[in-house]
Amino acid sequence: MSADPSLVRFRAVVDGALVHLESRRTEINDLNVFPVADGDTGDNMALTLSAVLEELDRLADSGRALDDIGRDEIVDSVARAALLGARGNSGVILSQLIRGAAEELISRPGELVDPVLIGAAMAKAADRAYKSVREPAEGTILTVMREMALAVSHELAHLPPGATRLGSEDDPRQNELIATVLEKAIAAGEASVRRGPELLPALREAGVVDAGGYAVTILFAGVVAALRGTQAPEVERHVAPAKVTHPQHESSTFRFCTNFAVSGRELDPTGWIAKLEALGDSVLVVGDDRTLKVHVHTDEPERATGLFAGVGEVSHLDVADMHAQVVEREERLAAATTNGAAAPTACCGALAVATGEGLQRLFEDLGVHVLDGGPTMNPSTMELLAGIHQVPAEQVVVLTNSPNVRMAAERAAELSEKAVAVVPTRSMQAGLAAAIALHPDRDAAENAAAMERELAHVRTGGVAPAARDDADGRFRTGDAVGYVDDELVAWGDPQKTLADVLARLDDGAELVTCIAGADAPLDDDGVLALAPDAEKVEVEPGGQPAWWWLLSAQ
């Protein structure tokens, strides 16, 4: 297979685009208002580009030099990687821009990548993106890309052939010629971004420009920087966050942004729109006869994926809770206003399933994100997947905090595009003990191992009202029942039962933590009075509904 020197530059260009996008990612997120103000446009587009970069690295690690693989294989692999890695409206549309450009490159084998080919690829990209959206909205990323492509076309029409075409494979002008043309495209893109609010009322009402369109100009500025080996050309900043004052911008109708891929044979993107729209809105189905990418806002992610049962294999499932995203965005902006900066994304974070306002706060104080487990502590796989998505980290450890949660958490870990480790803690107090070992600079596997080591030195207990009469007559409904780990050790009067559990946990412990539930029949002083050594005992408000007290000993 003949070498194509143009491909040697490809990875550097993609990396330059991603690096520059990452540098403005939060700014892009804050502008996000259309179609939903969920504050994730920068995240979604960065994930799509990251998938492309990972595919290029995979090809490079195959044992062949990148410039020996061939353009056709690279652009086809890149288009597929972008499709599979796409998330959210903006990510799916970006994947179609990439796919359109790839189709144009494949259609011209042996032709050098020069300004003319770049112009044709941009035009094809814009056309492909428009066709992927059932009801294209002007003033968005679609308009910006179309007007950038048009500007390149006009620029090329007024330049002499020597400034647009390359005469040989080693023409040293290649990078500079392409960079010069792309700078014209960026200028046109910036003008289009500024006009966006005139075309789209949602932008005008929120006082912002389109986040996706703005992101495209930033991506191309990163490409120019990579081509020249210099700083990226300045792109006008749009730092004022969106004012979300209209309910229709908050996606109050549907909760979950659901994305997944379907692999099979003889697939048809057009046949699924109506079926998905019966379950939600913001439907996108793109791809080819082998692979589809599906995006839908719905309250029923399981039914959306279930439509494809028997049709193909569902993979790359990602479910984001848009209602939680809106709240998180508002909180982050408020914190940024107060502190002047947002917290950086960590390598690894943690998600704990918990119930009770005080318990949830204890987890949050340890830097752990919380998924409300409700009275039964039994969230669905999709709720767990959405919770994993909400953790601002590349990898996540899930603390199940109940035997009921383990299977759903392990399934969510399999489905998530993040690296996820599940630590099957059997109680919330055990989860708190494990969470102490969380270190954001370690990966998920290392954090999970550290948590397991911590748990090896922890004993747990609890006291709760009996839900039913004991078959052996030891206690009746409403009496106290006390446990150490999973063993029933005491029952009867609440004070006596708690004293017995405290005594068993105190033996050999350096610290005993007692977390009081919403209906605990003793106050903190009453609890401390029962402890064999009150100096060892810490009492915290938990607010959990089912247990009077949850205890742990370390």
Side-chain angles (χ1 to χ4, degrees), residues 16 20 23-24 183 186 217-226 228-235:
H20 200 44
S23 72
R24 309 279 278 271
E183 276 193 312
I186 293 168
T217 64
I218 292 170
L219 291 181
F220 275 93
V223 170
V224 170
R228 287 181 170 155
T230 61
Q231 293 293 317
E234 188 63 33
V235 174

Side-chain angles (χ1 to χ4, degrees), residues 360-368:
Q360 292 176 354
R361 189 179 303 113
L362 291 172
F363 277 108
E364 290 167 351
D365 288 345
L366 293 173
V368 176

Side-chain angles (χ1 to χ4, degrees), residues 3 74 78 98 134 185 212 233 235 239 247 267 276-277 326 334 552:
I74 289 180
V78 160
I98 293 170
R134 190 174 185 183
V235 174
V239 295
L267 300 175
L276 288 162
E277 287 183 338
V326 170
S552 64

Side-chain angles (χ1 to χ4, degrees), residues 315-317 381 385 388 407-418 420 422:
S315 63
H316 295 75
L317 177 63
T381 297
L385 195 59
I388 290 167
M407 186 177 296
E410 290 175 344
R411 179 59 177 154
E414 292 173 3
L415 294 171
S416 178
E417 292 188 343
K418 293 184 178 182
V420 180
V422 176

